[in-house]
Amino acid sequence: MDSHASAGPQTVAPLLKGQKALVTGANSGIGKATALALGRAGADVVVNYVAGREAAEEVVAQITAQGSRAAAYEADVSREDQVTAMVDRMVEEFGTIDILVANAGLQRDAAFTEMTLAQWQKVIDVNLTGQFLCAREATKEFLRRGVVPEVSRSAGKIICMSSVHQIIPWAGHVNYASSKGGVLMMMETLAQELASKKIRVNAVAPGAIRTPINTDAWDTPAAEQDLLKLIPYGRVGEPEDIAHAAVALASDLLDYVVGATLYVDGGMTLFPGFATGG
Ligand code: NAD
């Protein structure tokens, strides 16, 4: 067996030792995989959820079994009072916050003229305003604490969960694409504003990942074949593909990466239609 054969999650084991991470929407899909990966990398993890306490407690149990500390906190990321209370509680119970993965998100799809204001507003509130609120509260604590060199070279890391739709227009999803376009500019502006305070803000932009948010796109062979036409690398992504990118961005290995979007999309943003045309 060569050394790569055993290179699994263990390879990230010591990277985040002593760090405290908050992952929003961490009881499902990408957020769950990210919380577990952060735990494997040595971080203590707050598992945020808005509904589904049992699933959140299951993630907590898995992280605890891996040897890190974890707790499930209920909060709606689009509600200012709940986000403030969540971060305050984390500082009280875990001591501080070093890493925020602003992951919570949803879709409310509709053709443009059918889209209600409520559908538009809900997606903007959760996907964009939710990230703003979580980032703001985490940043207050990063600034209060400052850099602790034994823990990390930076005072804090924010990872915004964006999407390839921060740059790829998406018919029938104007609310979602607009929210992710907003995340791109919010992330870059915060990165510019906070870099001198030693806070690193970056984004992960997933392509098509196998999670409950997009079941219709991959849950039949025909749907999956259709989807694969958009993915040069020839496979649908798994939540762990995104989780590992988030762990890397949170770690000091990528300490000089500031204001970047890491596309984790099997090449979806490479204009695959031009591989044979154009
Ligand atoms: P998911 O539905 O499995 O997970 C979304 C999570 O967000 C759930 O835990 C949900 O409860 C939580 N959430 C929703 N509203 C919330 C609120 N108000 N407060 C707190 N939590 C809330 O879907 P996923 O695919 O894991 O999505 C995670 C993130 O990844 C989202 O931001 C999504 O836009 C992004 N993303 C996913 C894909 C993909 O292909 N799956 C692609 C690009 C981007």
Side-chain angles (χ1 to χ4, degrees), residues 107-159:
Q107 292 179 210
R108 293 288 184 269
D109 309 331
F112 182 47
T113 53
E114 313 283 306
M115 188 173 285
T116 63
L117 179 58
Q119 287 173 317
W120 168 268
Q121 199 64 56
K122 178 75 178 173
V123 171
I124 298 296
D125 283 352
V126 174
N127 294 12
L128 183 56
T129 308
Q131 293 206 12
F132 159 76
L133 290 170
C134 293
R136 192 188 65 187
E137 293 313 302
T139 297
K140 288 178 187 168
E141 170 60 13
F142 299 158
L143 293 173
R144 185 199 65 76
R145 174 183 28 76
V147 177
V148 180
E150 303 76 39
V151 174
S152 175
R153 295 178 71 181
S154 71
K157 282 84 58 160
I158 296 172
I159 293 146

Side-chain angles (χ1 to χ4, degrees), residues 1 8 18 60 70 104 122 127 136 139 158 164 170 187 199 214 260 267:
M1 193 161 81
V60 166
K122 178 75 178 173
N127 294 12
R136 192 188 65 187
T139 297
I158 296 172
V164 291
W170 201 14
M187 181 280 288
I199 295 167
N214 59 0

Side-chain angles (χ1 to χ4, degrees), residues 24-31 48-51 75-78 102-106 122 126-127 131 161-164 176 180 205-214:
T24 63
N27 61 349
S28 176
I30 289 169
N48 160 257
Y49 69 99
V50 68
D76 179 338
V77 297
S78 66
N103 165 79
L106 44 71
K122 178 75 178 173
V126 174
N127 294 12
Q131 293 206 12
M161 199 55 68
S162 190
S163 164
V164 291
Y176 185 85
K180 297 300 186 180
I209 312 300
R210 216 182 289 275
T211 77
I213 210 174
N214 59 0

Side-chain angles (χ1 to χ4, degrees), residues 34-118:
T34 300
L36 293 172
L38 289 166
R40 286 198 297 273
D44 295 331
V45 186
V46 169
V47 174
N48 160 257
Y49 69 99
V50 68
R53 180 170 187 87
E54 265 179 32
E57 292 294 355
E58 176 55 29
V59 177
V60 166
Q62 285 187 48
I63 295 170
T64 309
Q66 291 162 0
S68 290
R69 191 176 158 204
Y73 288 5
E74 181 181 347
D76 179 338
V77 297
S78 66
R79 293 279 307 274
E80 185 173 30
D81 55 340
Q82 295 185 25
V83 171
T84 304
M86 173 170 67
V87 175
D88 285 353
R89 180 177 167 198
M90 180 169 177
V91 172
E92 201 177 302
E93 295 180 356
F94 283 73
T96 191
I97 172 172
D98 301 284
I99 298 161
L100 165 68
V101 182
N103 165 79
L106 44 71
Q107 292 179 210
R108 293 288 184 269
D109 309 331
F112 182 47
T113 53
E114 313 283 306
M115 188 173 285
T116 63
L117 179 58

